[in-house]
Amino acid sequence: MAKHRRRDRKFRLTLTAVVAAAAFLPVAAAAAPSSGARPNIVGGTEASISDHPYAVYLTDKNGNQFCGGVIVSPAAVATAAHCAKAVSRAELRVVAGRQDKRTNDGRTVSVRDVWMPSGFTDPGQGDDVAVLKLSQSLPYQAANLPGDESLYAEGTKATVMGWGRTADGGARSDVLRSAVVPIVSDSSCRSSYSNYDSRSMVCAGYPQGEVDACQGDSGGPLVVGDTLIGIVSWGDGCARPGKPGVYTRVTTYADEIRSEADSSRGVFW
Ligand code: ARG
């Protein structure tokens, strides 16, 4: 086991070096960073799918990426309800194991069934979670679901990732990006957003903004280690001061996610 880990890490480092070297020339030429502009999720860095094998994205039938998602069992992906509603089930695709949208890496699978809380209306009202039951199982590591509230303590450093916009109003990323954001207290988030609901939501971000998820990242994971604590849901713009990102609070739905994910098997295998 330890031996395998070490070999994986070596491979990953080599891969990272190769990707970094390949990416460096065009990026360095294109992205002369001007005053405070951060060419990244917003304010993040390029991430490796081998570090986050549970990170997936959703496309329509033409292959256009519109949201993120996270593998929670071999044949189930959690995402935001507003993502699951955006495209009809028959046209929805999950792309897993692919770091760079421009490649054919990994797997593309269709969706057999969708679960979401019956009361969901829009992200600002909470309950922004869905489970996509896949038509095939995926050979990638699932994220863990949280057992308790301990990972939601104010200041806990969590990692958000996705293929969404790299600036407020900007273009989507071709590659997976991640950023570290601290958990914000319920009282602070309530002062940012009058409709904040501490039962169904959790906020993360810095007081000065600068680092955040953005459009196209919705449905994607907010993790501590490999434990899924949040799902990208909404925010006022992206990375604005005093306006942290709002995430679906996964502990509130963990039992339902688990039972829906467990029910997504045994039909085809
Ligand atoms: N609703 C957006 C989406 O569909 C995600 C917004 C997240 N915004 C934020 N500032 N964290 O992709």
Side-chain angles (χ1 to χ4, degrees), residues 66-67 82-83 212-218 232-239 243-247:
F66 67 96
C67 271
H82 81 265
C83 292
D212 197 4
C214 202
Q215 269 62 39
D217 290 322
S218 275
V232 178
S233 181
W234 60 280
D236 181 354
C238 306
K243 299 291 180 184
V246 188
Y247 298 81

mmCIF file of all heavy atoms in Angstrom, residues 66-67 82-83 212-218 232-239 243-247, ligand 1:
data_model
loop_
_atom_site.group_PDB
_atom_site.id
_atom_site.type_symbol
_atom_site.label_atom_id
_atom_site.label_comp_id
_atom_site.label_asym_id
_atom_site.label_seq_id
_atom_site.Cartn_x
_atom_site.Cartn_y
_atom_site.Cartn_z
ATOM 1 N N PHE A 66 -21.592 22.868 -18.002
ATOM 2 C CA PHE A 66 -22.360 23.946 -17.367
ATOM 3 C C PHE A 66 -22.336 23.903 -15.849
ATOM 4 O O PHE A 66 -22.731 24.876 -15.212
ATOM 5 C CB PHE A 66 -23.811 23.948 -17.887
ATOM 6 C CG PHE A 66 -24.601 22.729 -17.477
ATOM 7 C CD1 PHE A 66 -25.416 22.787 -16.362
ATOM 8 C CD2 PHE A 66 -24.523 21.552 -18.198
ATOM 9 C CE1 PHE A 66 -26.150 21.665 -15.959
ATOM 10 C CE2 PHE A 66 -25.244 20.427 -17.808
ATOM 11 C CZ PHE A 66 -26.061 20.487 -16.691
ATOM 12 N N CYS A 67 -21.894 22.806 -15.244
ATOM 13 C CA CYS A 67 -21.856 22.686 -13.785
ATOM 14 C C CYS A 67 -20.792 21.667 -13.391
ATOM 15 O O CYS A 67 -20.219 20.997 -14.259
ATOM 16 C CB CYS A 67 -23.211 22.209 -13.234
ATOM 17 S SG CYS A 67 -24.382 23.547 -12.842
ATOM 18 N N HIS A 82 -30.103 23.007 -8.697
ATOM 19 C CA HIS A 82 -30.326 23.923 -9.822
ATOM 20 C C HIS A 82 -29.544 23.477 -11.066
ATOM 21 O O HIS A 82 -29.936 23.812 -12.189
ATOM 22 C CB HIS A 82 -30.037 25.384 -9.439
ATOM 23 C CG HIS A 82 -28.608 25.812 -9.445
ATOM 24 N ND1 HIS A 82 -27.813 25.817 -8.308
ATOM 25 C CD2 HIS A 82 -27.824 26.282 -10.443
ATOM 26 C CE1 HIS A 82 -26.606 26.266 -8.625
ATOM 27 N NE2 HIS A 82 -26.582 26.562 -9.914
ATOM 28 N N CYS A 83 -28.492 22.702 -10.869
ATOM 29 C CA CYS A 83 -27.765 22.115 -12.013
ATOM 30 C C CYS A 83 -28.556 20.946 -12.603
ATOM 31 O O CYS A 83 -28.691 20.820 -13.825
ATOM 32 C CB CYS A 83 -26.403 21.608 -11.559
ATOM 33 S SG CYS A 83 -25.255 22.902 -11.071
ATOM 34 N N ASP A 212 -12.789 32.589 -4.799
ATOM 35 C CA ASP A 212 -14.183 32.128 -4.743
ATOM 36 C C ASP A 212 -14.457 31.149 -5.884
ATOM 37 O O ASP A 212 -13.700 31.076 -6.852
ATOM 38 C CB ASP A 212 -15.121 33.337 -4.889
ATOM 39 C CG ASP A 212 -16.560 33.073 -4.440
ATOM 40 O OD1 ASP A 212 -16.864 31.977 -3.942
ATOM 41 O OD2 ASP A 212 -17.373 34.011 -4.593
ATOM 42 N N ALA A 213 -15.598 30.454 -5.750
ATOM 43 C CA ALA A 213 -16.180 29.754 -6.897
ATOM 44 C C ALA A 213 -16.874 30.798 -7.759
ATOM 45 O O ALA A 213 -17.034 31.955 -7.358
ATOM 46 C CB ALA A 213 -17.174 28.705 -6.406
ATOM 47 N N CYS A 214 -17.299 30.401 -8.958
ATOM 48 C CA CYS A 214 -17.960 31.349 -9.852
ATOM 49 C C CYS A 214 -18.887 30.571 -10.793
ATOM 50 O O CYS A 214 -18.982 29.346 -10.687
ATOM 51 C CB CYS A 214 -16.904 32.160 -10.613
ATOM 52 S SG CYS A 214 -17.505 33.737 -11.263
ATOM 53 N N GLN A 215 -19.557 31.242 -11.701
ATOM 54 C CA GLN A 215 -20.512 30.581 -12.601
ATOM 55 C C GLN A 215 -19.844 29.412 -13.341
ATOM 56 O O GLN A 215 -18.734 29.565 -13.867
ATOM 57 C CB GLN A 215 -21.083 31.581 -13.608
ATOM 58 C CG GLN A 215 -22.377 32.252 -13.130
ATOM 59 C CD GLN A 215 -22.181 33.068 -11.882
ATOM 60 O OE1 GLN A 215 -21.175 33.734 -11.732
ATOM 61 N NE2 GLN A 215 -23.131 32.999 -10.966
ATOM 62 N N GLY A 216 -20.541 28.300 -13.362
ATOM 63 C CA GLY A 216 -19.999 27.096 -13.978
ATOM 64 C C GLY A 216 -19.380 26.150 -12.956
ATOM 65 O O GLY A 216 -19.155 24.982 -13.245
ATOM 66 N N ASP A 217 -19.109 26.677 -11.748
ATOM 67 C CA ASP A 217 -18.585 25.829 -10.669
ATOM 68 C C ASP A 217 -19.703 25.184 -9.862
ATOM 69 O O ASP A 217 -19.467 24.240 -9.104
ATOM 70 C CB ASP A 217 -17.701 26.642 -9.714
ATOM 71 C CG ASP A 217 -16.390 27.067 -10.350
ATOM 72 O OD1 ASP A 217 -15.811 26.273 -11.111
ATOM 73 O OD2 ASP A 217 -15.939 28.198 -10.079
ATOM 74 N N SER A 218 -20.912 25.704 -9.995
ATOM 75 C CA SER A 218 -22.056 25.178 -9.238
ATOM 76 C C SER A 218 -22.125 23.666 -9.316
ATOM 77 O O SER A 218 -21.867 23.073 -10.364
ATOM 78 C CB SER A 218 -23.364 25.719 -9.792
ATOM 79 O OG SER A 218 -23.651 26.956 -9.239
ATOM 80 N N VAL A 232 -21.130 23.783 -4.341
ATOM 81 C CA VAL A 232 -21.197 25.170 -4.824
ATOM 82 C C VAL A 232 -22.644 25.499 -5.214
ATOM 83 O O VAL A 232 -23.254 24.775 -6.011
ATOM 84 C CB VAL A 232 -20.278 25.378 -6.047
ATOM 85 C CG1 VAL A 232 -20.406 26.815 -6.574
ATOM 86 C CG2 VAL A 232 -18.820 25.056 -5.695
ATOM 87 N N SER A 233 -23.177 26.580 -4.635
ATOM 88 C CA SER A 233 -24.590 26.884 -4.859
ATOM 89 C C SER A 233 -24.836 28.292 -5.393
ATOM 90 O O SER A 233 -25.371 28.449 -6.473
ATOM 91 C CB SER A 233 -25.364 26.643 -3.561
ATOM 92 O OG SER A 233 -26.745 26.898 -3.717
ATOM 93 N N TRP A 234 -24.432 29.334 -4.656
ATOM 94 C CA TRP A 234 -24.717 30.692 -5.140
ATOM 95 C C TRP A 234 -23.805 31.703 -4.455
ATOM 96 O O TRP A 234 -22.987 31.361 -3.605
ATOM 97 C CB TRP A 234 -26.192 31.050 -4.945
ATOM 98 C CG TRP A 234 -26.717 31.030 -3.531
ATOM 99 C CD1 TRP A 234 -27.102 29.917 -2.826
ATOM 100 C CD2 TRP A 234 -26.902 32.152 -2.663
ATOM 101 N NE1 TRP A 234 -27.516 30.280 -1.577
ATOM 102 C CE2 TRP A 234 -27.426 31.650 -1.450
ATOM 103 C CE3 TRP A 234 -26.693 33.527 -2.788
ATOM 104 C CZ2 TRP A 234 -27.725 32.473 -0.354
ATOM 105 C CZ3 TRP A 234 -27.007 34.349 -1.696
ATOM 106 C CH2 TRP A 234 -27.515 33.832 -0.505
ATOM 107 N N GLY A 235 -23.962 32.965 -4.844
ATOM 108 C CA GLY A 235 -23.199 34.064 -4.267
ATOM 109 C C GLY A 235 -23.588 35.330 -4.994
ATOM 110 O O GLY A 235 -24.236 35.272 -6.050
ATOM 111 N N ASP A 236 -23.207 36.477 -4.426
ATOM 112 C CA ASP A 236 -23.469 37.753 -5.087
ATOM 113 C C ASP A 236 -22.237 38.065 -5.923
ATOM 114 O O ASP A 236 -21.194 38.440 -5.389
ATOM 115 C CB ASP A 236 -23.732 38.819 -4.030
ATOM 116 C CG ASP A 236 -24.037 40.182 -4.639
ATOM 117 O OD1 ASP A 236 -23.941 40.330 -5.882
ATOM 118 O OD2 ASP A 236 -24.364 41.108 -3.876
ATOM 119 N N GLY A 237 -22.326 37.861 -7.234
ATOM 120 C CA GLY A 237 -21.140 37.966 -8.076
ATOM 121 C C GLY A 237 -20.156 36.887 -7.678
ATOM 122 O O GLY A 237 -20.551 35.831 -7.160
ATOM 123 N N CYS A 238 -18.880 37.125 -7.903
ATOM 124 C CA CYS A 238 -17.852 36.166 -7.515
ATOM 125 C C CYS A 238 -16.688 36.916 -6.883
ATOM 126 O O CYS A 238 -16.218 37.913 -7.451
ATOM 127 C CB CYS A 238 -17.329 35.397 -8.723
ATOM 128 S SG CYS A 238 -18.598 34.589 -9.715
ATOM 129 N N ALA A 239 -16.235 36.429 -5.749
ATOM 130 C CA ALA A 239 -15.008 36.926 -5.116
ATOM 131 C C ALA A 239 -15.100 38.396 -4.688
ATOM 132 O O ALA A 239 -14.090 39.059 -4.554
ATOM 133 C CB ALA A 239 -13.814 36.707 -6.045
ATOM 134 N N LYS A 243 -18.885 39.316 0.372
ATOM 135 C CA LYS A 243 -19.863 38.433 -0.271
ATOM 136 C C LYS A 243 -19.258 37.054 -0.502
ATOM 137 O O LYS A 243 -18.832 36.715 -1.619
ATOM 138 C CB LYS A 243 -20.323 39.034 -1.614
ATOM 139 C CG LYS A 243 -21.014 40.384 -1.481
ATOM 140 C CD LYS A 243 -22.365 40.225 -0.794
ATOM 141 C CE LYS A 243 -23.064 41.583 -0.647
ATOM 142 N NZ LYS A 243 -24.348 41.419 0.107
ATOM 143 N N PRO A 244 -19.188 36.250 0.576
ATOM 144 C CA PRO A 244 -18.581 34.914 0.441
ATOM 145 C C PRO A 244 -19.415 34.007 -0.463
ATOM 146 O O PRO A 244 -20.581 34.294 -0.746
ATOM 147 C CB PRO A 244 -18.590 34.390 1.881
ATOM 148 C CG PRO A 244 -19.669 35.149 2.568
ATOM 149 C CD PRO A 244 -19.688 36.511 1.926
ATOM 150 N N GLY A 245 -18.827 32.917 -0.903
ATOM 151 C CA GLY A 245 -19.560 31.905 -1.648
ATOM 152 C C GLY A 245 -20.510 31.166 -0.710
ATOM 153 O O GLY A 245 -20.180 30.942 0.461
ATOM 154 N N VAL A 246 -21.679 30.805 -1.214
ATOM 155 C CA VAL A 246 -22.632 30.038 -0.410
ATOM 156 C C VAL A 246 -22.718 28.619 -0.985
ATOM 157 O O VAL A 246 -22.843 28.439 -2.206
ATOM 158 C CB VAL A 246 -24.031 30.690 -0.394
ATOM 159 C CG1 VAL A 246 -24.930 29.970 0.601
ATOM 160 C CG2 VAL A 246 -23.927 32.180 -0.063
ATOM 161 N N TYR A 247 -22.631 27.660 -0.089
ATOM 162 C CA TYR A 247 -22.571 26.245 -0.437
ATOM 163 C C TYR A 247 -23.719 25.505 0.240
ATOM 164 O O TYR A 247 -24.145 25.881 1.334
ATOM 165 C CB TYR A 247 -21.237 25.654 0.060
ATOM 166 C CG TYR A 247 -20.026 26.293 -0.584
ATOM 167 C CD1 TYR A 247 -19.523 27.514 -0.133
ATOM 168 C CD2 TYR A 247 -19.409 25.680 -1.668
ATOM 169 C CE1 TYR A 247 -18.423 28.113 -0.743
ATOM 170 C CE2 TYR A 247 -18.311 26.260 -2.277
ATOM 171 C CZ TYR A 247 -17.821 27.471 -1.811
ATOM 172 O OH TYR A 247 -16.739 28.049 -2.421
HETATM 173 N N1 ARG B 1 -24.727 29.633 -9.385
HETATM 174 C C1 ARG B 1 -23.431 29.478 -9.938
HETATM 175 C C2 ARG B 1 -23.416 28.349 -10.936
HETATM 176 O O1 ARG B 1 -24.467 27.936 -11.363
HETATM 177 C C3 ARG B 1 -22.366 29.347 -8.892
HETATM 178 C C4 ARG B 1 -22.191 30.586 -8.177
HETATM 179 C C5 ARG B 1 -21.214 30.485 -7.069
HETATM 180 N N2 ARG B 1 -20.897 31.814 -6.752
HETATM 181 C C6 ARG B 1 -20.034 32.188 -5.859
HETATM 182 N N3 ARG B 1 -19.785 33.448 -5.739
HETATM 183 N N4 ARG B 1 -19.429 31.310 -5.095
HETATM 184 O O2 ARG B 1 -22.390 27.940 -11.421
#
